[in-house]
């Protein structure tokens, strides 16, 4: 379970350049069930007033709320490289710069001082190194948008990492490589997973069409894509993963579906890439606020 603070509510802010979404999840308390509120808004100077309004409506105090910033490509970029396990730190960083610069369309638009590395053994003297890098202007823009609310930010990262569904479909997906498709407005985001680890995020314009071969995708759904899998002739290769009854019971506007699904999944996933450095609960509240303002990449190979 991800509980970075003893908060009574979590406010998810989806940031996509000039467009933002606010999704407030109020945690169950006593006999009271959870509550959810969704708002869509431009990313402008009125953001803090909107946050105040959504918290007031839910009767939640600022101090009892943590803020999670969800980023999608191109604001954040995640990919995986396969690097010799004996490579030094400097060699790893050199390989990352060499290989990513050659594949990114606009590498200058990314913040090469703010990237995160996670490494897992891949066998045959090779490591699977996943790189997540932030857009260069993302952090300054978020700080400018949130202002005084910024000291309650406890998560900034790739929202597509929460499309991981291995735990739900265990053992069918255990140890497998699979992709997820998330329809979002006129875009289609895809996230790849290997043995439960998030290894890639990307966006498909797909000509704004919801048709994927013989399949037509509903925007109020998220899909497991196993078209590359062998021996699955008798089952659909693109499968919806959310029960319609679960989504309907949320009683939210159709546009809220992507954030609703990701927010719900974030409650029970353990390994996450977060660009806000977390502090132990034993440290004082003042120090927590100060540290929350200081963002730094988690160099897990260091």
């Amino acid at each position: 379970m991800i509980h970075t603070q003893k908060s009574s509510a979590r406010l998810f802010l989806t940031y996509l350049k000039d467009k933002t979404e606010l999704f407030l999840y109020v945690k169950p308390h006593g006999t009271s069930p959870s509550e959810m509120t969704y708002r869509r808004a431009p990313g402008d100077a009125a953001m803090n007033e909107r946050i105040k309004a959504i918290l007031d409506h839910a009767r939640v105090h600022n101090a009892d709320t943590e803020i999670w910033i969800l980023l999608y490509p191109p604001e954040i970029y995640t990919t995986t490289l396969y690097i010799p396990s004996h490579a030094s730190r400097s060699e790893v960083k050199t390989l990352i710069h060499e290989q990513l610069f050659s594949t990114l369309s606009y590498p200058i638009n990314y913040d090469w001082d703010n990237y995160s590395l996670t490494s897992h053994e891949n066998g045959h003297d090779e490591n699977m190194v996943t790189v997540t890098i932030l857009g260069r202007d993302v952090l300054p823009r978020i700080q400018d948008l949130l202002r005084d609310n910024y000291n309650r930010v406890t998560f900034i990262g790739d929202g597509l990492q929460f499309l991981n569904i291995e735990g739900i479909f265990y053992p069918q997906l255990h140890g497998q490589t699979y992709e997820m498709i998330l329809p979002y407005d006129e875009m289609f985001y895809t996230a790849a997973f290997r043995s439960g680890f998030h290894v890639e995020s990307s966006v498909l314009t797909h000509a704004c069409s919801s048709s994927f071969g013989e399949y037509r995708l509903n925007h109020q759904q998220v899909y497991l894509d196993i078209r590359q899998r062998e021996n699955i002739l008798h089952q659909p290769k693109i499968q919806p993963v959310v029960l319609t009854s679960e989504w309907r019971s949320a009683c939210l506007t159709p546009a809220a579906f992507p954030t609703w699904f990701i927010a719900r999944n974030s409650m029970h996933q353990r390994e996450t890439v977060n660009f806000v450095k977390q502090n132990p609960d034993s440290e004082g509240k003042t120090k927590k606020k100060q540290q929350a303002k200081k963002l730094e990449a988690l160099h897990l190979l260091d």
Side-chain angles (χ1 to χ4, degrees):
M1 299 286 287
I2 302 174
H3 293 295
T4 55
Q5 293 181 0
K6 294 181 180 179
S7 58
S8 61
R10 182 178 291 175
L11 180 65
F12 295 87
L13 190 151
T14 303
Y15 172 81
L16 283 167
K17 291 186 178 177
D18 58 343
K19 179 179 67 180
T20 58
E21 293 178 333
L22 294 171
F23 182 89
L24 179 67
Y25 175 82
V26 182
K27 300 173 183 177
H29 179 71
T31 58
S32 301
S34 62
E35 297 180 22
M36 292 168 286
T37 306
Y38 172 82
R39 295 286 184 273
R40 205 165 198 172
D44 56 23
M47 178 58 61
N48 293 279
E49 293 302 317
R50 297 189 185 98
I51 291 176
K52 183 179 184 303
I54 198 173
L55 294 181
D56 288 346
H57 181 266
R59 299 182 299 279
V60 175
H61 295 293
N62 276 5
D64 297 329
T65 308
E66 61 185 20
I67 298 177
W68 278 41
I69 310 295
L70 303 177
L71 303 172
Y72 297 162
E75 276 68 36
I76 197 166
Y77 180 78
T78 300
T79 192
T80 296
L81 310 175
Y82 294 90
I83 295 176
S85 57
H86 57 76
S88 66
R89 284 189 300 175
S90 60
E91 289 173 333
V92 168
K93 292 180 180 180
T94 298
L95 288 170
I96 288 171
H97 281 254
E98 288 178 350
Q99 296 186 35
L100 290 193
F101 262 93
S102 65
T103 58
L104 287 173
S105 301
Y106 301 98
I108 195 173
N109 290 335
Y110 289 90
D111 183 355
W112 292 96
D113 292 324
N114 264 309
Y115 65 89
S116 171
L117 304 180
T118 56
S119 178
H120 299 96
E121 292 184 8
N122 190 50
H124 307 291
D125 296 322
E126 190 177 58
N127 283 341
M128 185 173 70
V129 179
T130 300
V131 185
T132 301
I133 184 168
L134 288 171
R136 186 176 61 181
D137 299 325
V138 169
L139 294 183
R141 180 61 177 149
I142 291 174
Q143 288 174 314
D144 184 55
L145 277 177
L146 295 183
R147 297 198 300 274
D148 292 341
N149 285 302
Y150 190 70
N151 62 4
R152 291 183 289 112
V153 172
T154 60
F155 174 86
I156 295 177
D158 190 335
L160 300 183
Q161 65 185 300
F162 300 113
L163 295 181
N164 184 4
I165 58 167
E166 185 184 55
I168 302 173
F169 285 84
Y170 189 93
Q172 295 94 326
L173 296 178
H174 182 61
Q176 300 291 325
T177 298
Y178 64 92
E179 290 188 353
M180 301 295 297
I181 302 175
L182 180 72
Y184 185 94
D185 285 349
E186 296 180 345
M187 309 295 282
F188 292 86
Y189 290 96
T190 64
F193 297 87
R194 178 175 175 182
S195 300
F197 299 117
H198 176 227
V199 295
E200 185 175 355
S201 292
S202 59
V203 60
L204 301 174
T205 56
H206 203 62
C208 301
S209 171
S210 59
S211 296
F212 279 67
E214 59 185 298
Y215 302 100
R216 188 170 185 85
L217 274 55
N218 176 4
H219 277 70
Q220 295 177 55
Q221 185 56 269
V222 63
Y223 293 88
L224 168 64
D225 183 355
I226 50 176
R227 286 175 293 177
Q228 307 302 319
R229 190 79 56 79
E230 297 179 353
N231 303 321
I232 56 169
L233 298 178
H234 302 295
Q235 56 181 305
K237 297 183 179 181
I238 295 181
Q239 302 179 15
V241 300
V242 178
L243 294 177
T244 304
S245 58
E246 290 184 35
W247 164 235
R248 286 179 178 171
S249 66
C251 298
L252 294 168
T253 181
F257 178 86
T259 307
W260 169 81
F261 181 82
I262 287 173
R264 189 179 65 164
N265 274 15
S266 76
M267 299 294 173
H268 58 78
Q269 292 189 23
R270 293 173 181 159
E271 180 170 328
T272 62
V273 174
N274 184 2
F275 284 87
V276 177
K277 185 175 181 179
Q278 302 298 312
N279 290 305
D281 291 337
S282 59
E283 296 187 19
K285 185 176 181 180
T286 302
K287 188 174 180 180
K288 282 187 178 182
K289 287 188 175 181
Q290 292 174 346
Q291 194 67 34
K293 293 182 180 180
K294 181 181 179 182
L295 299 180
E296 58 184 79
L298 307 181
H299 294 278
L300 301 185
L301 291 183
D302 288 355

